[in-house]
Amino acid sequence: MQELDTVSTGRAGYTYAKELVRNWHHVASTSVRNLGSWAGNLGLKLSHNEFPSDIFINLLGAGAVVTTALPTGSTSTHTLEELLGLDLQKERRVILEMRLPPMSDEVVFRVFKVMGRWTNTHAFVNAAMAFRVDKANAHTVTEKPLIAYGGINPTFVRASATEAALEGKSLEDEGVLQAAMQALADELKPDNLPQDPAPEYRLSVAQNLLYKMVLGIVGNAASSTVISGGTDLERPESSGQQEYDQNTETWPLGQPIPKLEARMQCAGEAEYVNTMAAVNEELFGMFVTSTQANARIASIDPSAALAMPDVVAFVGVEDIKGVNNIMAFAWPLPQKLFPEDRVSYYGQPIGLIVTKNRGAAYGAREAVKVTYDDIQPPVLTIEDALQKPPIKGPPYEQGDVQAGFASSTHIFEGAMSRDGQYHFHMESQSCLVVPTDIGLDVYASTQWASETQRAIGQVLGIPDNTINVTVKRLGGAFGAKIDQCNIVTTAAAVAAQKVRKPVRVALDLDANMTVIGWREPYLCTYKVGVDDSGVLQAIQATLTCDAGYVAVDTSSPAAVYCMTSCYSCPNWEVTPQVVLTNTACNTWCRTPGTVEGVIFMENILEHVAQGMGMDPLELRKKNLMPDGGTRPLNQGMIRFRSLVAGKEAKWLPDSLPVPRNLISDMLTQILTSANVEERKQIVANYNQTNLWKKRGLSVMPLLWPYAVAMKVPFNAMVSVNARDGTVAVSHGGTELGQGINTKAAQCAAYELGVPLDMIAVRPPNTHVNANSEVTGGSQGSDVASYSVTQACKRLRARLDAFKEENGLFDKSWPELVLAAFNKGVDICERYVNGWDEVKAYPVFGVACTEVELDVLTGQFLVLRTDILEDAGKSMSPIVDVGQVEGAYVMGQGLFTIEKPLYDHDTGRRLTDGTWYYTPPAALDIPVDFRVSLLHDAPNPVGVQSSKVTGEPPLCLAFTVVMALRQAVASARGDAGVTDWFQMDTPLTVDNLQRLCLVDSSRLTIK
Ligand SMILES: Cc1cc2nc3c(=O)[nH]c(=O)nc-3n(C[C@H](O)[C@H](O)[C@H](O)COP(=O)(O)OP(=O)(O)OC[C@H]3O[C@@H](n4cnc5c(N)ncnc54)[C@H](O)[C@@H]3O)c2cc1C
């Protein structure tokens, strides 16, 4: 690329090379580009014609000629089209060199890439075009142009008929353009594969890219409104701003420091379960998984696998000595480790093959013979599942919705769906179980060690005190390791029990994406009534979530309570529903239930604003809840689950008091800091003057109910070492990358009055930190910090009393603790938070997002996002800002890029790797990203006056959807359609472009 860049300015006839360099920045990633070669890329294209290679199409467009050599030494040259006809491998032919010819200044050369995110992903459609044009003669194409496309079907390359339709013709002639569009429609036959965007989209985009080419050539000869269609979206350099209070008086508590493990993680030195050194005689376990989604298992025969070298055992349902249920704290429905009769989803574990090494497991897994009968078609979507009656939960009811609708002057009805999301933790589900002479030592990647301990005890039929679960750290979790990790931990434990040897199970990425469920897909149907001024009168809605094949981790019963967010409405009836599908057991994912309640409410408000012709922000302001109110909390579900699990302690407060609704103040702040009104005007003007590029700017407030239960024990242990005064802390939470250890250490250092570097946070285990709760629901850092704080307060009080009694006022900390120890004072302390010690409270946030949409392709940029987040008095501002930024971007992926795909015949999840499933990457985040933590906002009931930050900001990413709605609405308006339209998420580029109602007949020059 460097060489191309150099010749593009230094050598006559090579200006066009700049265009290659520009596009190749979007080919794979920097690291892949550094490793891969252009020849390898061409080699890949030749052996996989379906691969939409950018390099191939781009070089073909540039007229590249390649020299190859046979083993005999004979060489020959080929155009890239000729190269396609060769079989390099069969002939053992090697690509030696490539020559790029110079190009006349009369030739306009452009390459295009339309893709699902901005980097490190393959093209949906790519193209290269070269037109020799006589500008002075109405932009006439003076020789046969070159038009090549990728991503259409495995054999399509050149649009020859379209090339012919343009040769010798003026590009300013609308008739010529329309003829070319027709020719393209006739010759392009996109294939129809479930993992690719629909053929209609790919054809439309192919036409639009040609249109872009033409607009780019004719320039000012086109009308000013269409001219912006000729350019691609160009992302400026990213920038960010972070603002927070310093609060120096409490440092190191509240000091902005990087996460304690950050350097170690970046250096690759941080140890995870799967990077722990092998223990003596360790074996490896790999799941044998179902290749049917809805069938009865007729037989399982592992004999061929067991005869293979290095294969030790097959572990099946018959090896379960206890209860075949991996859920310790659950609904009445069990989730079986291995099925006893039918399989319910493609990829479901049927058993575990145990081998001496990982390599042997792959072959052995395939050699286990499983046969099926009674094979039924899989049910994969909520719509299909609703053919049967769903499981209904108790509704959230307030007031009288029928009376509310009767008093409404405007009623709107609609629906919105939101698809699932892979958790995309960097560390896959993994566990190492080591049998010892006192039971099992378990090293697990779990968010809830005591749940894992109990689940293993239950499945193996052994007492909990024989199982010690240690959790050093997790490489991310996002909810997938709350209870679904126990598919892996219990399987490893059953295997270890059977073979009496250590067994490690660590899923590959494809298994992690297939075996384990994702965030639940959702469907919301709604009816809303307002009065003439837009004030809400009644909301009736049904929230249906897709639980997967078993309804153990469903969030819709909680989601219905979260719709209230920061708004008032006198009458509500919101019903939760759950459907079952032939997919993996879907599970909690960062802000489960809350995000659905919040976004469906925002969508309703968008609908009302559109229907009433009101400014969406003004409508929201009209409906904000007053100070001094309460928010409902879902007592029912959590109480029910607690009782089922034999725990009476897990109760939520009746409701969440909101003494002050901070939203009005925060909106005022962000309107000023983000210069909202002026930018809204600029956006409106932009949309009026541009047909093919659109912008949108949205503002969204959020009240996120931090509904911590009355009792969520986090068992903290603080040990001071007598000889040097250093402190070791272990708390019942788990370090998932969210910075829980950093906050705990900052609390400990502050409370004990020692420097931060005297504190070490040790990994928790179920012996020292017994019965601790789940690190999830944003409560981990909060409650663990609370227990550590309380333990340190007690310890400090004891040492202060000792100091006072003995007059040791001039002693340093190490001298004091040694003196106390020598006098028999206990210099360790344990604390478990008790009933209602940690309080629930509302978390507020506001965000403003501006986007720019390329109507012709559906690609967009998030130009700028401003977030004002209420973190109370932050315990660790850099950690909190990181949480805000990360949560927001994860939400952006949920709402726009990430789309689960299935084979509808077999039920196989097609998005089982990073080729078809892409979370946001570095070039998808807001170009200008500004995060502020609310100034001077101590939380009177918060731990160290702080508020949680792990989950709430994810909801604010819905501003991207709202801003895109404005952009799409403007595009639809240009097409003459001004009605409300349903916008399901994710808003993938094909989804967005379809919504924009682009039709080839509207592709005009004037
Ligand atoms: C994460 C990711 C993202 C990607 N995104 C894109 C993308 O956006 N656009 C895109 O176009 N590509 C993309 N790719 C593909 C990437 O560009 C290719 O994998 C890469 O170019 C292959 O190059 P290599 O040198 O590693 O080839 P290898 O993997 O070494 O070789 C590939 C094939 O070519 C043969 N071969 C290699 N060199 C020669 C030679 N000199 N003569 C004859 N045969 C040869 C090999 O025998 C083999 O069959 C992506 C890949 C990854 C992993």
Side-chain angles (χ1 to χ4, degrees):
M1 282 168 68
Q2 255 169 14
E3 215 162 306
L4 287 173
D5 211 18
T6 310
V7 296
S8 72
T9 49
R11 196 181 293 184
Y14 284 93
T15 320
Y16 75 91
K18 256 218 162 5
E19 178 70 355
L20 295 176
V21 175
R22 184 185 68 86
N23 197 43
W24 289 6
H25 277 120
H26 293 295
V27 171
S29 60
T30 309
S31 54
V32 172
R33 289 197 302 271
N34 285 345
L35 285 170
S37 64
W38 60 264
N41 189 295
L42 296 182
L44 208 59
K45 172 70 182 169
L46 299 198
S47 54
H48 294 277
N49 285 347
E50 73 283 5
F51 166 44
S53 160
D54 298 303
I55 305 297
F56 173 81
I57 283 292
N58 292 186
L59 292 177
L60 184 144
V65 176
V66 164
T67 305
T68 64
L70 288 169
T72 56
S74 78
T75 61
S76 42
T77 57
H78 325 263
T79 64
L80 291 204
E81 279 173 282
E82 289 163 355
L83 198 66
L84 264 189
L86 302 179
D87 187 335
L88 297 184
Q89 278 168 357
K90 197 165 154 201
E91 294 183 273
R92 300 182 61 216
R93 189 186 284 271
V94 175
I95 300 172
L96 293 182
E97 62 167 31
M98 174 189 55
R99 285 173 185 271
L100 285 170
M103 219 178 260
S104 150
D105 286 346
E106 283 176 15
V107 177
V108 180
F109 173 70
R110 275 185 79 179
V111 293
F112 301 92
K113 177 172 187 178
V114 179
M115 53 195 165
R117 67 174 176 191
W118 281 106
T119 184
N120 209 13
T121 188
H122 66 280
F124 290 154
V125 175
N126 51 17
M129 301 181 198
F131 288 26
R132 184 185 287 267
V133 180
D134 182 354
K135 287 185 195 156
N137 186 15
H139 291 98
T140 297
V141 182
T142 54
E143 63 182 35
K144 191 174 169 194
L146 180 146
I147 304 173
Y149 288 102
I152 303 299
N153 63 47
T155 55
F156 189 89
V157 180
R158 287 285 286 271
S160 316
T162 312
E163 290 172 350
L166 288 169
E167 185 177 352
K169 306 280 172 50
S170 162
L171 294 177
E172 293 178 29
D173 183 337
E174 306 278 7
V176 168
L177 188 58
Q178 280 307 310
M181 292 302 159
Q182 188 53 53
L184 259 187
D186 292 343
E187 68 180 328
L188 253 70
K189 299 288 172 231
D191 52 14
N192 191 2
L193 299 173
Q195 60 270 40
D196 291 331
E200 297 76 23
Y201 167 75
R202 277 149 54 225
L203 171 59
S204 173
V205 160
Q207 291 177 317
N208 295 348
L209 294 183
L210 176 59
Y211 179 53
K212 269 181 184 290
M213 177 72 178
V214 172
L215 286 179
I217 293 171
V218 300
N220 290 335
S223 80
S224 61
T225 50
V226 300
I227 224 160
S228 64
T231 54
D232 292 334
L233 290 175
E234 288 295 342
R235 185 185 167 94
E237 199 174 341
S238 305
S239 67
Q241 290 178 19
Q242 296 95 21
E243 283 179 14
Y244 38 79
D245 289 345
Q246 291 294 321
N247 295 321
T248 50
E249 71 286 353
T250 59
W251 283 12
L253 179 64
Q255 189 172 358
I257 53 167
K259 196 174 67 172
L260 294 179
E261 293 89 345
R263 281 174 196 277
M264 201 186 0
Q265 279 181 305
C266 292
E269 290 168 359
E271 186 185 62
Y272 299 93
V273 172
N274 200 27
T275 57
M276 287 171 68
V279 296
N280 198 25
E281 294 194 277
E282 178 182 310
L283 301 173
F284 186 79
M286 188 177 279
F287 283 124
V288 174
T289 55
S290 158
T291 53
Q292 290 294 334
N294 189 0
R296 203 183 75 84
I297 299 174
S299 67
I300 303 174
D301 177 8
S303 54
L306 292 173
M308 295 171 81
D310 291 341
V311 177
V312 176
F314 174 77
V315 177
V317 68
E318 62 284 357
D319 294 305
I320 295 173
K321 303 261 186 284
V323 184
N324 188 8
N325 178 13
I326 66 162
M327 305 296 289
F329 168 62
W331 292 94
L333 281 175
Q335 184 180 348
K336 294 182 178 8
L337 171 57
F338 299 129
E340 287 152 12
D341 180 33
R342 294 188 70 82
V343 288
S344 303
Y345 68 98
Y346 189 109
Q348 183 172 4
I350 289 172
L352 191 81
I353 196 82
V354 182
T355 56
K356 290 188 178 162
N357 53 66
R358 192 178 195 118
Y362 289 104
R365 173 182 65 175
E366 303 306 320
V368 176
K369 195 163 174 235
V370 184
T371 59
Y372 305 89
D373 57 25
D374 189 22
I375 299 170
Q376 301 294 326
V379 175
L380 299 170
T381 63
I382 292 179
E383 290 70 21
D384 287 348
L386 280 173
Q387 301 304 315
K388 282 191 192 161
I391 309 161
K392 280 188 187 293
Y396 160 52
E397 289 173 311
Q398 189 196 318
D400 177 346
V401 278
Q402 294 316 330
F405 287 128
S407 67
S408 301
T409 46
H410 303 266
I411 290 180
F412 305 95
E413 292 183 66
M416 177 189 163
S417 71
R418 199 228 63 220
D419 217 331
Q421 182 181 33
Y422 176 54
H423 298 79
F424 236 115
H425 33 241
M426 301 300 277
E427 177 207 26
S428 67
Q429 305 271 2
S430 16
C431 182
L432 170 63
V433 179
V434 183
T436 71
D437 52 6
I438 49 170
L440 297 177
D441 280 350
V442 177
Y443 303 91
S445 185
T446 174
Q447 290 174 252
W448 194 355
S450 62
E451 168 86 4
T452 291
Q453 176 193 32
R454 180 79 288 271
I456 290 175
Q458 182 170 283
V459 175
L460 270 60
I462 59 174
D464 289 2
N465 68 351
T466 61
I467 306 159
N468 190 26
V469 180
T470 302
V471 188
K472 189 170 198 180
R473 66 171 64 83
L474 276 62
F478 303 119
K481 298 174 182 174
I482 289 177
D483 51 33
Q484 294 306 306
C485 58
N486 292 331
I487 298 174
V488 166
T489 61
T490 57
V494 173
Q497 187 185 43
K498 177 171 178 168
V499 299
R500 305 189 66 77
K501 295 256 170 74
V503 176
R504 190 186 308 236
V505 178
L507 301 187
D508 288 333
L509 179 67
D510 58 343
N512 208 58
M513 294 182 82
T514 308
V515 169
I516 311 290
W518 296 11
R519 187 194 286 278
E520 300 151 299
Y522 256 84
L523 171 70
C524 168
T525 52
Y526 59 87
K527 179 175 172 184
V528 52
V530 292
D531 68 12
D532 280 335
S533 61
V535 173
L536 293 165
Q537 303 297 310
I539 293 177
Q540 192 173 37
T542 301
L543 305 191
T544 309
C545 72
D546 170 1
Y549 82 100
V550 58
V552 292
D553 289 349
T554 50
S555 65
S556 59
V560 296
Y561 287 82
C562 301
M563 282 189 77
T564 52
S565 186
C566 52
Y567 303 109
S568 269
C569 175
N571 305 297
W572 296 85
E573 185 191 286
V574 193
T575 307
Q577 290 189 165
V578 177
V579 292
L580 299 180
T581 52
N582 293 111
T583 60
C585 175
N586 289 321
T587 188
W588 323 112
C589 185
R590 203 170 192 173
T591 190
T594 348
V595 64
E596 289 79 19
V598 164
I599 66 162
F600 292 137
M601 181 64 183
E602 293 300 328
N603 183 61
I604 287 172
L605 293 172
E606 291 284 286
H607 194 161
V608 172
Q610 192 273 347
M612 301 291 291
M614 288 177 70
D615 178 284
L617 182 56
E618 289 312 310
L619 179 92
R620 285 174 169 82
K621 283 185 184 168
K622 260 193 174 130
N623 287 292
L624 288 180
M625 72 176 289
D627 291 345
T630 58
R631 297 287 80 176
L633 293 176
N634 185 359
Q635 279 280 354
M637 181 185 76
I638 202 144
R639 201 174 286 178
F640 178 59
R641 288 188 66 145
S642 301
L643 291 174
V644 168
K647 295 211 269 185
E648 294 207 25
K650 203 173 165 93
W651 298 61
L652 284 176
D654 287 331
S655 62
L656 184 67
V658 185
R660 280 266 295 120
N661 183 359
L662 301 183
I663 290 298
S664 304
D665 295 350
M666 292 172 72
L667 280 175
T668 306
Q669 281 186 46
I670 208 164
L671 289 181
T672 309
S673 61
N675 196 16
V676 171
E677 290 308 326
E678 195 183 322
R679 287 169 61 210
K680 258 164 66 177
Q681 201 48 52
I682 295 170
V683 166
N685 293 343
Y686 184 89
N687 287 345
Q688 205 142 41
T689 48
N690 289 287
L691 209 55
W692 302 122
K693 293 265 172 35
K694 295 291 181 185
R695 290 191 182 160
L697 186 145
S698 67
V699 178
M700 170 185 159
L702 166 74
L703 185 159
W704 195 89
Y706 176 52
V708 66
M710 297 294 211
K711 179 147 179 64
V712 279
F714 275 68
N715 190 337
M717 180 78 199
V718 177
S719 310
V720 180
N721 295 290
R723 306 295 159 203
D724 65 357
T726 57
V727 183
V729 172
S730 101
H731 55 76
T734 46
E735 175 62 64
L736 321 165
Q738 85 283 47
I740 189 172
N741 288 348
T742 306
K743 287 185 175 177
Q746 287 179 283
C747 288
Y750 170 66
E751 294 296 343
L752 296 176
V754 302
L756 191 60
D757 61 10
M758 289 191 79
I759 311 285
V761 183
R762 313 296 308 169
N765 65 61
T766 48
H767 165 57
V768 177
N769 311 98
N771 305 312
S772 290
E773 261 289 335
V774 59
T775 297
S778 289
Q779 70 190 7
S781 299
D782 198 55
V783 190
S785 295
Y786 177 82
S787 286
V788 169
T789 296
Q790 295 307 317
C792 292
K793 276 186 193 295
R794 285 183 174 186
L795 190 53
R796 183 77 232 190
R798 192 151 69 235
L799 288 167
D800 284 347
F802 173 77
K803 183 169 29 173
E804 196 92 7
E805 280 162 22
N806 295 281
L808 302 175
F809 299 109
D810 55 350
K811 293 283 184 211
S812 67
W813 167 263
E815 289 165 343
L816 177 66
V817 293
L818 183 59
F821 173 74
N822 285 339
K823 282 278 167 60
V825 176
D826 182 3
I827 57 171
C828 300
E829 187 62 60
R830 192 177 77 84
Y831 193 87
V832 186
N833 55 302
W835 179 265
D836 198 22
E837 273 187 69
V838 184
K839 305 288 184 194
Y841 50 78
V843 178
F844 299 96
V846 291
C848 170
T849 293
E850 182 176 354
V851 298
E852 183 168 332
L853 172 70
D854 184 332
V855 173
L856 294 171
T857 63
Q859 291 177 292
F860 66 92
L861 289 176
V862 180
L863 297 177
R864 174 171 164 183
T865 291
D866 295 66
I867 297 177
L868 178 58
E869 182 68 22
D870 165 26
K873 186 176 176 190
S874 171
M875 288 194 269
S876 196
I878 294 183
V879 168
D880 282 334
V881 166
Q883 288 281 49
V884 174
E885 291 173 342
Y888 180 89
V889 173
M890 188 168 179
Q892 223 186 294
L894 168 68
F895 298 134
T896 60
I897 307 176
E898 298 174 49
K899 172 95 183 141
L901 298 167
Y902 292 91
D903 179 322
H904 281 260
D905 295 329
T906 63
R908 180 179 160 215
R909 209 197 288 272
L910 298 170
T911 37
D912 63 353
T914 53
W915 194 250
Y916 292 115
Y917 189 85
T918 53
L923 299 183
D924 299 293
I925 67 172
V927 175
D928 180 355
F929 200 177
R930 307 182 188 198
V931 174
S932 302
L933 303 184
L934 188 62
H935 167 62
D936 193 18
N939 175 11
V941 298
V943 177
Q944 300 283 12
S945 305
S946 71
K947 287 194 179 180
V948 300
T949 51
E951 295 180 306
L954 188 144
C955 306
L956 294 172
F958 199 67
T959 48
V960 177
V961 176
M962 289 158 50
L964 282 169
R965 173 176 282 286
Q966 291 172 15
V968 171
S970 176
R972 292 168 72 91
D974 293 340
V977 179
T978 53
D979 294 347
W980 169 257
F981 55 99
Q982 182 172 336
M983 257 178 51
D984 298 326
T985 65
L987 289 171
T988 50
V989 295
D990 48 325
N991 193 0
L992 277 167
Q993 197 258 7
R994 183 183 51 79
L995 286 168
C996 287
L997 306 177
V998 184
D999 183 278
S1000 63
S1001 65
R1002 291 179 52 227
L1003 305 180
T1004 58
I1005 308 290
K1006 299 293 177 195

